[in-house]
Amino acid sequence: MKILVIEDDRAAVDYLVKAFREAGHAVDAATDGLAGYGLAEESAHDVLVVDRMLPKMDGLSLIRGLREQGVTTPALILSALGQVDDRVKGLRAGGDDYLPKPYAFSELLARVEALGRRQGTAAKTEETTLSVGDLALDRLARRVTRGGQEIALQPREFRLLEFLMQHAGQVVTRTMLLEGVWDYHFDPQTNVIDVHVSRLRAKIDRGSDRPLLHTVRGAGYMIRDGAR
Amino acid sequence: MTALGKLWRTTAFRITLVNLAVFCVFAFAAFGYVAWNARRVVDGEITSTIDAEINGLAEQYNQGGIRRLLAVVFQRSAQPGASLYLITNFAGERLAGNIVALQPGVLDRSGAFETGYQATEDAERPRGRALVRVNLLPNGFRVVVGRDLIDRDRLVFATRRAFNWVIALVAVLGVATGVLVTRRVLKRVDAMTDAAQQIMGGSVERRLPVAGSGDEFDRLAVNLNSMLDRIGDLMTGLQQVSDNIAHDLKTPLTRLRNRAEGALRAASSPEDYRRALEGCIEESDGLIRVFNALLTIARLESGQTQGVMSDFDAADVIRDVAELYEPIAEESGATLAIDAPKSLPLRASRELVGQAVANLIDNAIKYGRCESGGAAPRIEVSAREVAGEGVAFVVADRGPGIPDADRERVVKRFERLESARTKSGFGLGLSLAAAVAKMHHGTLALEDNQPGLRVRLLIPSAPAA
């Protein structure tokens, strides 16, 4: 994936460029709003990572400008302002995701990859069945089977699994789960999400020698076929 | 600044002066009109008297010729009074009358007009002014009949003098009133300024003086005082936060530092380093969480989070949040009982209300168990509409509860009961719930559940934007 990082803090840029490269992505970087705008406009990137406060042109104006020019590259906004209304402002300006600082790189990577893949597989989310390995989820019948065996899930567990399977092969963080499944943006303080995931794991991986739901240390969860 | 300069700079004094000027102009116009009118009426009367007399004299002439006319004029001139007469021949030489001389050219003018004249009796007498009319008789004789204007001029003079006095009196009284009023105003303003300067100078407890008369200054002072109270509250809050940050955040920061230091000193294998680094990340995540909560509380308390209001179903929120925490409750052996109607429409911030309710349930799960074992902890969560007030969310547990004396304290930031210190958490959950309540103009009440704690969060519905 080709990522463009627009961020004015040198140390942060170096860190992000290095970390994204290590994760196997191509990275361009710009340290002010105007340069970033130019780069984003002329060369095709898969995802933009934009700091909100930038010299010469702030992040929101940059994204708004790009959208007016018809550039639809998904953009993730990084900002020290993380309150609900700040996020709403950011998303309304044309951002596709919002991550408040300080952030964990694992979460940033997970979100950026999710954005990049969402772009490529927009049609896939409309699929009526999702499958990972021998686990299949029928969205219309709201039925989950593993190796042909039906698994009974609570409605919320179903949504949780659905969300994970939509992002199969990608890291999904706890905050992404809280946002995607429960539609809340606050910090639950306790390990509520972990408990939900472990319950789900007990239901889908029980008695199987090939676990599908993996915990990614320090980041979150990932569902993938162990054999792959 | 001199007292006069200060006076001059006040709005009240300037307004008084402008008022005074406007009043003077009006008075001048009114008096002028009265004087002009009086003069016009008097002149009209004099003119008609003169006309009657001229007609009478013309009659005499027609009947008895110039001799008779001269005789009549001699006789009339001899009588005291304001009437003036003059008969001249065709050459303009005086034949009879009590006028010695007129201004040159007067004899050729027609109509009634004012002119200066010299009286007969005494050449030393100053020239007077008269309203006269000249009538041309056959054979070139001229009859001049006039009336001295001294009475009329006296009237006009008296009016003018009265006007001058009135204006002088008005000016003096006006300026005096202005000065008095302005000085009163200045005194109050000065008192307020002094108080404000003292407050700015550090006497934060000082308040603006209130005279108790309920006038506009009192209203201003009362409002400014309540503003100062509010600022004082905020400052106290800020002070507390910084104290608390100093106290409660230094601990985890020190822990973080110690961990890193310990790893550098003792760790030998990459695995050890890895574990230490993971610990550091965990620790800093905790710190970030606390900072976020503090920022949220601060923003809510300063009322900055406006515009996130939306219409939502409060019953859904309480079911969602309870469902989110249900597995945790089960793990700790507690049961969550939810009691809410099918739907409870509410206009508020769904996010914040959800977070507040989550904090309350989280607290109930953490602290709502009896130390002495006993029955399995049961947490009751309910939402009800309170007519005319809003929606009341109640989270009740059967734990040890909170003593009366501590209820106010635990709502404050970082304040925790001694018994809770051993458990995880930072003591921000209730503060946040209280801040959410405050932001929505609602209340957070801690009550006795006999036994246990019953927390009631009342959120009034916000008016649609």
Side-chain angles (χ1 to χ4, degrees):
Chain A
M1 226 159 53
K2 202 171 165 197
I3 301 165
L4 172 61
V5 176
I6 308 170
E7 153 82 75
D8 63 325
D9 178 19
R10 268 267 153 223
V13 172
D14 292 346
Y15 171 67
L16 286 178
V17 168
K18 187 164 170 276
F20 277 129
R21 289 215 172 111
E22 276 167 10
H25 301 292
V27 193
D28 286 339
T31 50
D32 70 68
L34 279 181
Y37 186 86
L39 272 176
E41 212 181 7
E42 63 199 32
S43 34
H45 294 95
D46 296 303
V47 180
L48 309 177
V49 176
V50 185
D51 186 17
R52 197 166 156 170
M53 279 171 247
L54 288 168
K56 293 187 189 166
M57 182 189 225
D58 72 90
L60 295 192
S61 313
L62 186 151
I63 291 173
R64 212 174 284 129
L66 286 176
R67 295 297 181 249
E68 273 161 21
Q69 292 297 307
V71 178
T72 57
T73 318
L76 183 142
I77 301 167
L78 282 181
S79 169
L81 306 170
Q83 295 300 319
V84 178
D85 38 348
D86 297 324
R87 293 184 215 195
V88 169
K89 247 180 248 162
L91 296 176
R92 285 213 179 121
D96 298 272
D97 203 351
Y98 201 105
L99 192 59
K101 285 178 181 178
Y103 51 83
F105 179 75
S106 48
E107 172 150 24
L108 176 62
L109 183 66
R111 284 179 185 266
V112 164
E113 287 180 343
L115 274 183
R117 224 163 296 198
R118 199 180 301 164
Q119 176 86 331
T121 58
K124 194 175 144 194
T125 57
E126 295 306 310
E127 278 175 11
T128 56
T129 52
L130 301 168
S131 63
V132 173
D134 56 353
L135 180 69
L137 180 143
D138 185 338
R139 304 174 96 177
L140 291 181
R142 304 198 80 76
R143 238 164 61 103
V144 176
T145 54
R146 175 129 200 221
Q149 286 255 303
E150 184 163 350
I151 300 172
L153 292 180
Q154 302 282 330
R156 193 69 66 170
E157 290 167 344
F158 183 86
R159 292 232 3 233
L160 186 56
L161 181 62
E162 187 182 21
F163 189 86
L164 284 165
M165 288 178 82
Q166 274 172 323
H167 298 92
Q170 301 165 41
V171 177
V172 177
T173 66
R174 291 172 182 85
T175 26
M176 285 164 82
L177 285 176
L178 190 65
E179 283 174 23
V181 179
W182 281 271
D183 195 22
Y184 279 112
H185 293 83
F186 61 79
D187 183 353
Q189 306 280 344
T190 29
N191 57 337
V192 278
I193 301 294
D194 298 320
V195 179
H196 281 273
V197 173
S198 69
R199 291 189 153 205
L200 178 65
R201 173 184 285 139
K203 288 195 177 174
I204 62 170
D205 280 345
R206 182 170 38 203
S208 167
D209 51 351
R210 252 184 20 180
L212 297 176
L213 188 44
H214 304 270
T215 302
V216 184
R217 283 195 74 172
Y221 300 96
M222 185 196 283
I223 200 161
R224 70 182 150 83
D225 190 352
R228 202 163 43 166
Chain B
M1 203 189 317
T2 62
L4 201 67
K6 210 163 150 186
L7 204 66
W8 173 242
R9 273 163 207 246
T10 58
T11 313
F13 192 66
R14 289 187 197 184
I15 289 176
T16 313
L17 286 190
V18 170
N19 268 339
L20 202 58
V22 170
F23 182 79
C24 287
V25 169
F26 266 108
F28 183 77
F31 268 98
Y33 178 73
V34 167
W36 175 78
N37 218 24
R39 187 176 157 149
R40 199 176 58 97
V41 169
V42 171
D43 281 3
E45 263 172 28
I46 292 174
T47 313
S48 56
T49 317
I50 289 172
D51 285 351
E53 241 175 316
I54 279 184
N55 286 339
L57 289 178
E59 191 72 13
Q60 297 285 348
Y61 177 81
N62 288 340
Q63 286 177 9
I66 188 71
R67 272 173 208 288
R68 175 125 170 220
L69 178 65
L70 287 174
V72 172
V73 168
F74 264 126
Q75 194 206 331
R76 287 199 189 170
S77 303
Q79 285 170 4
S83 291
L84 299 170
Y85 305 95
L86 178 67
I87 312 287
T88 62
N89 63 9
F90 61 93
E93 288 159 348
R94 175 172 170 266
L95 298 178
N98 48 8
I99 296 175
V100 176
L102 282 165
Q103 278 176 350
V106 164
L107 289 179
D108 296 323
R109 286 174 69 177
S110 60
F113 54 89
E114 271 186 59
T115 179
Y117 77 100
Q118 187 79 45
T120 330
E121 300 94 62
D122 187 356
E124 295 298 304
R125 240 182 81 168
R127 292 168 69 95
R129 285 194 69 77
L131 187 67
V132 300
R133 189 190 272 280
V134 181
N135 193 21
L136 189 64
L137 296 174
N139 298 330
F141 292 110
R142 284 188 175 85
V143 178
V144 180
V145 177
R147 194 163 273 251
D148 195 279
L149 286 174
I150 190 138
D151 287 339
R152 189 204 71 181
D153 287 348
R154 259 194 213 125
L155 177 71
V156 171
F157 179 72
T159 314
R160 193 176 297 151
R161 202 167 51 177
F163 169 74
N164 289 344
W165 273 110
V166 166
I167 288 294
L169 200 68
V170 162
V172 168
L173 280 179
V175 171
T177 320
V179 168
L180 282 178
V181 167
T182 311
R183 272 185 51 187
R184 209 178 97 88
V185 169
L186 264 184
K187 230 168 105 184
R188 305 271 310 260
V189 171
D190 281 352
M192 285 182 150
T193 312
D194 281 352
Q197 270 167 354
Q198 286 188 18
I199 293 168
M200 282 188 288
S203 321
V204 195
E205 296 306 312
R206 265 294 303 258
R207 287 294 174 264
L208 301 181
V210 178
S213 57
D215 63 357
E216 64 273 28
F217 282 105
D218 269 11
R219 286 205 306 273
L220 182 65
V222 166
N223 279 322
L224 288 177
N225 282 343
S226 45
M227 190 177 89
L228 287 170
D229 289 343
R230 174 93 181 103
I231 292 173
D233 284 353
L234 289 176
M235 275 171 59
T236 317
L238 208 63
Q239 183 72 42
Q240 267 169 11
V241 174
S242 41
D243 289 355
N244 290 334
I245 286 177
H247 181 261
D248 283 67
L249 289 186
K250 264 187 189 168
T251 316
L253 277 172
T254 312
R255 226 163 35 215
L256 181 64
R257 196 179 185 288
N258 290 349
R259 233 174 234 239
E261 222 174 26
L264 276 181
R265 199 175 51 233
S268 48
S269 70
E271 190 50 40
D272 286 347
Y273 280 119
R274 195 186 166 78
R275 223 175 295 125
L277 280 175
E278 276 170 6
C280 288
I281 288 176
E282 224 167 79
E283 204 78 67
S284 51
D285 280 351
L287 277 170
I288 289 168
R289 202 172 286 157
V290 175
F291 269 116
N292 282 341
L294 274 178
L295 283 176
T296 310
I297 293 171
R299 284 172 58 112
L300 290 179
E301 286 191 341
S302 60
Q304 280 178 41
T305 312
Q306 300 298 329
V308 287
M309 300 287 173
S310 62
D311 291 302
F312 62 93
D313 191 340
D316 276 352
V317 166
I318 203 156
R319 273 191 288 266
D320 280 353
V321 176
E323 187 255 9
L324 180 65
Y325 280 89
E326 208 159 15
I328 294 223
E330 263 174 49
E331 268 192 2
S332 71
T335 50
L336 264 180
I338 304 159
D339 176 20
K342 250 202 164 64
S343 91
L344 262 180
L346 181 64
R347 184 174 178 81
S349 163
R350 175 182 171 273
E351 192 74 32
L352 292 171
V353 169
Q355 184 163 9
V357 173
N359 285 357
L360 298 183
I361 296 180
D362 193 49
N363 274 348
I365 294 171
K366 269 190 209 153
Y367 311 119
R369 48 168 66 256
C370 262
E371 306 296 324
S372 54
R378 180 183 157 83
I379 296 158
E380 279 159 10
V381 184
S382 70
R384 282 271 167 280
E385 182 165 6
V386 182
E389 286 193 66
V391 173
F393 300 89
V394 175
V395 178
D397 62 49
R398 297 241 156 225
I402 295 178
D404 263 347
D406 288 327
R407 282 192 194 144
E408 211 166 299
R409 186 170 70 83
V410 292
V411 177
K412 291 190 175 151
R413 275 165 275 208
F414 290 116
E415 289 284 358
R416 307 177 70 195
L417 290 179
E418 280 312 311
S419 56
R421 293 241 173 235
T422 51
K423 292 178 181 156
S424 66
F426 286 94
L428 289 174
L430 277 178
S431 315
L432 194 121
V436 169
K438 192 172 171 189
M439 184 217 129
H440 287 94
H441 305 290
T443 53
L444 180 81
L446 272 54
E447 296 158 4
D448 196 346
N449 198 34
Q450 292 173 342
L453 180 69
R454 199 179 122 88
V455 187
R456 186 169 180 272
L457 173 70
L458 182 75
I459 302 285
S461 205

